[in-house]
């Protein structure tokens, strides 16, 4: 456990709660949580940041998944199959993440943040309305979802992580023709698997700050369960604006730290 001030612990816990709420509603809580850890723990190796992030995120994601399972239509069988592929992908990604430095990670996160922001800005309807009805989901589409959505996004989640929930929602909506609320519900199950695979690898490598993670996880869980209820009750219109503000703020701060 590194030497962290009480003020920074409070800030990180609040960031964990906000990240849990955002992740449960539209995905992408890692866009807030991972940069917050990078900024709050500047001298901690990147592998430990990534491992701690996973230990926090899996608790909130699991809470959101349980909340969705109780009230939203979830294709459990399909989600579990995609999740198993994501589990393998995330473990592979986490294995390669051990050698990544923070200097490399920050620019990558900035690019991901800007890409997500551009998508949200260019698609005003994102998160506000159900997707248009599409053709029946074929076996080929299901296999595509398992291999590309599960394996591909799972690998990304283990390697870097931020934006995984959002990418899962977008991919499941496009490939399986799900509306956004249903896609969010299914994405949580897949995301639990990606977090579990990555966390198992980080734990094996000894790169998790367990004490800090346990404290932050409590706040992340509270935020995630509240966010899932918000999504089920109101949808994602409000959080869309919040997400854009957070994304651009973090990009500015990461850019400042990277080049000054």
């Amino acid at each position: 456990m590194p030497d962290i001030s009480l003020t920074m612990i409070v800030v990180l816990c609040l960031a964990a709660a906000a990240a849990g709420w955002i992740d449960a509603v539209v995905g992408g809580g890692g866009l807030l949580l991972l940069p917050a850890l990078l900024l709050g723990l500047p001298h901690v190796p990147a592998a430990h940041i990534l491992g701690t992030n996973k230990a926090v995120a899996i608790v909130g994601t699991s809470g959101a998944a349980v909340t969705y399972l109780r009230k939203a239509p979830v294709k459990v069988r399909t989600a579990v199959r995609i999740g198993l592929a994501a589990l393998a992908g995330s473990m592979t990604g986490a294995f390669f993440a051990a050698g990544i430095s923070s200097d490399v990670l920050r620019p990558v996160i900035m690019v991901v943040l800007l890409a997500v922001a551009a998508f949200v800005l260019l698609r005003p309807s994102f998160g506000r309305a159900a997707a248009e009805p599409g053709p029946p989901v074929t076996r080929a589409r299901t296999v595509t979802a398992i291999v590309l959505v599960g394996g591909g996004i799972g690998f990304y989640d283990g390697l870097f992580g931020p934006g995984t929930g959002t990418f899962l929602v977008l991919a499941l909506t496009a490939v399986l023709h799900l509306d956004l609320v249903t896609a969010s519900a299914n994405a949580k199950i897949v995301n639990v698997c990606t977090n579990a695979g990555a966390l198992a690898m980080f734990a094996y490598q000894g790169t998790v700050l367990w004490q800090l993670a346990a404290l932050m996880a409590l706040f992340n869980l509270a935020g995630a369960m509240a966010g899932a209820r918000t999504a089920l009750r109101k949808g994602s219109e409000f959080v869309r604006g919040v997400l854009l503000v957070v994304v651009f703020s973090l990009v500015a701060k990461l850019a400042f730290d990277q080049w000054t």
Side-chain angles (χ1 to χ4, degrees):
M1 180 75 173
D3 185 19
I4 310 173
S5 68
L6 178 60
T7 299
M8 183 52 63
I9 290 176
V10 171
V11 170
L12 289 175
C13 287
L14 293 176
W21 187 75
I22 291 172
D23 194 61
V25 177
V26 293
L31 295 172
L32 174 59
L33 185 57
L34 184 56
L37 285 167
L38 281 170
L39 297 173
L41 307 173
H43 303 299
V44 173
H48 287 73
I49 296 291
L50 293 168
T52 304
N53 173 62
K54 289 304 171 193
V56 174
I58 192 172
V59 175
T61 303
S62 298
V66 170
T67 302
Y68 275 121
L69 280 170
R70 291 174 177 172
K71 299 181 179 181
V74 178
K75 299 178 180 294
V76 177
R77 183 179 177 184
T78 300
V80 169
R81 291 162 70 186
I82 296 173
L84 291 176
L87 177 68
S90 65
M91 291 184 71
T92 305
F95 176 79
F96 287 103
I100 295 176
S101 70
S102 296
D103 290 339
V104 173
L105 197 58
R106 285 193 183 94
V108 172
I109 292 175
M110 282 188 281
V111 171
V112 173
L113 285 166
L114 289 172
V116 171
F119 178 86
V120 174
L121 286 170
L122 293 173
R123 293 289 299 274
S125 63
F126 173 66
R128 294 182 178 179
E132 293 292 331
V137 178
T138 63
R139 181 180 178 84
R141 280 186 172 273
T142 301
V143 172
T144 299
I146 293 172
V147 176
L148 296 183
V149 179
I153 296 180
F155 179 82
Y156 167 81
D157 191 38
L159 187 64
F160 296 121
T164 296
T166 301
F167 299 151
L168 283 172
V169 171
L170 297 176
L172 290 174
T173 300
V175 177
L176 299 181
H177 306 303
L178 303 177
D179 64 82
L180 288 174
V181 173
T182 303
S184 294
N186 284 271
K188 289 302 132 223
I189 296 177
V190 179
N191 213 174
V192 169
C193 294
T194 65
N195 285 335
L199 179 59
M201 184 59 67
F202 285 123
Y204 174 75
Q205 295 171 339
T207 56
V208 180
L209 304 175
W210 292 107
Q211 291 176 302
L212 178 62
L215 181 60
M216 292 176 65
L218 295 176
F219 287 83
N220 190 251
L221 176 62
M225 295 184 73
R229 294 190 183 98
T230 300
L232 290 167
R233 186 174 68 252
K234 296 183 178 180
S236 306
E237 185 171 354
F238 173 73
V239 80
R240 179 179 179 273
V242 176
L243 180 60
L244 286 172
V245 172
V246 170
V247 165
F248 286 120
S249 298
L250 288 172
V251 168
K253 184 66 172 73
L254 286 168
F256 179 81
D257 287 349
Q258 182 72 17
W259 291 300
T260 59

